[in-house]
Amino acid sequence: MIYESIRKQVVEAILEAAEQKLIHGTSGNIAMRDSEKRNIVAITPSGIPYNRMTAEEIAVVEMKEDGTNEWIDGPYKPSSELPMHTAVLRARADVNATVHTHSMFATIMAMGDEAGLLAITPPHCEFTPVGIVPFVMPGSDDIAARVLEAIGERGRTCLLKNHGMFSCGTDMTSAMHAAVYTEEMAQTAYYARLLGIFEPMPEEAERRMKELLAVGRSV
């Protein structure tokens, strides 16, 4: 089996996402870039239940220089959200793993008039700001472009209106952390707003936490 390492990492991550109830059934998708051949990406296939997925079933795609993607291995076609994942991977050299979920609270908090999620506890500060991408058709180049715009040059996560969440990281662990903490942020905000006691962290405290987290990542 070619690209065994990244295929196994994708399977492990999708099973973890299912266990943490970030995904259900066949919704959501996860991708991982190869560390040596950086134009090679392993991604969950389309329409296959995750609870019995194997590494051999993970699709392998080559990102072409002309901006297209070629499915080169795996028995099932890549996720329809491939353009969204590869758009971020192409634009961000620091990103090697991407996670898209349909998790409940991220989906709920993407609706309404709010601009996005705010940090409520110190760990959330690593992932803010969390913007919201307006609804566009899944699997399209349009949603890929809008997610890339929302993530920007340094962002880690964003919400997708009527759709879910997208996160990324330098490796699969950091991409999954971003997904987990974004869902936690959304869940905490949901219940706090429901109770009428929503109090995000002060902006100055959030700024200082970001500085501390940045120092921790650089040592």
Side-chain angles (χ1 to χ4, degrees):
M1 178 173 59
I2 62 173
Y3 303 109
E4 181 175 1
S5 176
I6 56 173
R7 289 168 112 163
K8 284 184 174 180
Q9 289 183 68
V10 169
V11 166
E12 290 168 0
I14 205 73
L15 292 176
E16 179 186 349
E19 183 179 352
Q20 298 207 35
K21 302 188 186 308
L22 295 174
I23 63 161
H24 301 278
T26 62
S27 67
N29 26 81
I30 292 179
M32 180 82 189
R33 188 206 307 266
D34 187 70
S35 60
E36 296 181 0
K37 295 185 178 180
R38 292 181 55 76
N39 64 326
I40 297 296
V41 176
I43 187 168
T44 46
S46 180
I48 307 300
Y50 298 132
N51 61 351
R52 57 178 184 269
M53 187 172 290
T54 65
E56 290 84 354
E57 294 173 325
I58 297 298
V60 178
V61 173
E62 180 180 353
M63 297 189 294
K64 298 290 191 177
E65 291 184 2
D66 63 0
T68 61
N69 301 306
E70 181 183 355
W71 173 23
I72 62 171
D73 198 53
Y76 305 112
K77 66 180 180 179
S79 166
S80 61
E81 297 290 8
L82 177 65
M84 181 168 63
H85 292 269
T86 56
V88 174
L89 290 167
R90 280 188 167 95
R92 292 274 300 271
D94 62 313
V95 168
N96 296 301
T98 50
V99 175
H100 166 49
T101 79
H102 294 184
S103 47
M104 179 184 296
F105 289 96
T107 303
I108 291 171
M109 295 306 294
M111 294 186 282
D113 298 325
E114 297 297 327
L117 296 179
L118 300 174
I120 297 172
T121 68
H124 296 163
C125 298
E126 181 177 353
F127 310 104
T128 55
V130 181
I132 300 176
V133 174
F135 179 79
V136 289
M137 287 303 296
S140 65
D141 290 337
D142 193 4
I143 193 172
R146 288 173 180 263
V147 166
L148 180 56
E149 181 181 3
I151 292 288
E153 296 181 357
R154 300 182 66 182
R156 296 283 305 283
T157 183
C158 64
L159 305 185
L160 313 178
K161 198 159 194 172
N162 302 109
H163 193 164
M165 170 219 313
F166 181 91
S167 66
C168 61
T170 56
D171 55 25
M172 190 60 76
T173 298
S174 63
M176 284 296 295
H177 280 173
V180 168
Y181 276 110
T182 300
E183 179 66 359
E184 179 185 281
M185 216 183 312
Q187 184 175 6
T188 308
Y190 171 83
Y191 283 117
R193 289 185 183 280
L194 191 65
L195 294 170
I197 56 171
F198 181 66
E199 290 187 26
M201 288 181 64
E203 289 185 12
E204 176 61 18
E206 182 181 0
R207 183 189 65 78
R208 292 177 63 188
M209 270 306 306
K210 283 183 176 294
E211 291 175 352
L212 287 173
L213 289 165
V215 169
R217 288 193 296 269
S218 65
V219 295

